[in-house]
Amino acid sequence: MMGESESVKGYRAGFVSLVGRPNVGKSTLMNAMLGVRLSIATPKPQTTRNRILGVRTVEDRGQLVFLDTPGIHRIRRGRRLNRAMVDEAVRAIRETEVCAFVVEAKSLVQRPGQPLWGEDADIAEQIAAAGVTCILVVNKVDQLRGRAQLLPALAALGEDSRFIAIVPVSALKGDNVGHLEGVLLDQLPEAGPLFPEDTLTDRAERFFAAEMIREQVLLQTDREVPYSVAVEVELFSENPRDGALEIQALIHVERESQKGIVIGRGGQRLKAIGTAARARLEAFFGQHVRLELLVRVQADWADRPQDLSRFGYEEAP
Ligand SMILES: Nc1nc2c(ncn2[C@@H]2O[C@H](COP(=O)(O)OP(=O)(O)OP(=O)(O)O)[C@@H](O)[C@H]2O)c(=O)[nH]1
Ligand SMILES: [Mg+2]
């Protein structure tokens, strides 16, 4: 065991931010590198709303402290929640020594001559302006018909001095994720571990409980509902009699009509959300879980500073 500040030759440690557009697979990638489903991931864009710290300790080699971040997007509807999310991601870029910029393989091959276009081009500029070391991670290569499809885009990007390395991966299948880990470690400074070696994250269990409930709402609802949901855990405690986790949570929506959608006919949808969330919570905490969910309308919470901070979405100072 090493002390926290003791530096051992060859051991590297530091922060790595995972940034990119919504839905490119940042959270899936962090989970693949951690070997734990810590950060929620769904097919809906804007799933992640906070920065989520995940620690990967590679025995005798180093410690990668990942910051998963919300997807950087142009804020069209202009809600305060969206602004807080994007600010959080942009801050993470500035505060880390290494940035893993995640893009989708299929968007690169659309314009092989100019593989980074639209919002990807904007984000690449922001990273370059921050002056941090950037690794370009090309995710979802499993969606291409063949790797050869990527070659023209990779050739164009190879000329781009903003990227120290370009690593194609499939976060979902785990392809090349081990290689990426080594590439990222090589960019970190020599230092002793920043966290005790058995650390996974810095957030409390109830945060992840709220996230895993929200994940199920996202998976089981459509249209604007996923963007209007916030989950607040009111009770999180272990029952001393049988060791079960007792969790009570409020699912907040912005409008009465959304409440009806989340509850569903005869309460069917809320029941399905609860069943799936309970299974996910039991797998994560390794304990029996008793879960109680209530749906409440908190009108326009995503635009109200007090509600945002109550639900854990901090706005930039
Ligand atoms: N086919 C394929 N799908 C992937 C891969 N990585 C992620 N996905 C899928 O892409 C979707 C989005 O993944 P997330 O990890 O939530 O993406 P994100 O970048 O964290 O998204 P936000 O939090 O919304 O910014 C999910 O349905 C994932 O299963 C991959 O390598 N291949
Ligand atoms: Mg995410």
Side-chain angles (χ1 to χ4, degrees), residues 20-29 40-49 68-72 104 139-143 169-173:
R21 282 188 293 117
N23 212 41
V24 295
K26 301 176 293 298
S27 300
T28 306
L29 180 62
I40 66 167
T42 80
K44 306 264 188 339
Q46 299 175 28
T47 292
T48 304
R49 290 181 181 163
D68 183 18
T69 66
I72 297 176
E104 275 184 350
N139 189 29
K140 308 196 185 182
V141 291
D142 58 287
Q143 289 181 334
V169 300
S170 169
L172 194 66
K173 308 224 170 281

Side-chain angles (χ1 to χ4, degrees), residues 146-201:
R147 284 281 183 98
Q149 251 190 298
L150 258 186
L151 294 177
L154 292 181
L157 287 165
E159 308 281 297
D160 196 329
S161 59
R162 293 176 298 180
F163 308 117
I164 225 138
I166 303 171
V167 186
V169 300
S170 169
L172 194 66
K173 308 224 170 281
D175 293 346
N176 222 25
V177 168
H179 174 67
L180 174 62
E181 179 181 279
V183 172
L184 293 172
L185 261 178
D186 285 343
Q187 297 305 321
L188 295 178
E190 276 197 19
L194 304 172
F195 289 85
E197 299 200 316
D198 56 357
T199 305
L200 176 62
T201 186

Side-chain angles (χ1 to χ4, degrees), residues 76-94:
R76 293 182 194 86
R77 285 171 61 199
R79 299 188 309 168
R80 296 183 91 105
L81 170 65
N82 294 74
R83 248 171 289 152
M85 287 162 60
V86 173
D87 282 349
E88 183 97 317
V90 172
R91 271 206 307 278
I93 298 174
R94 295 204 207 102

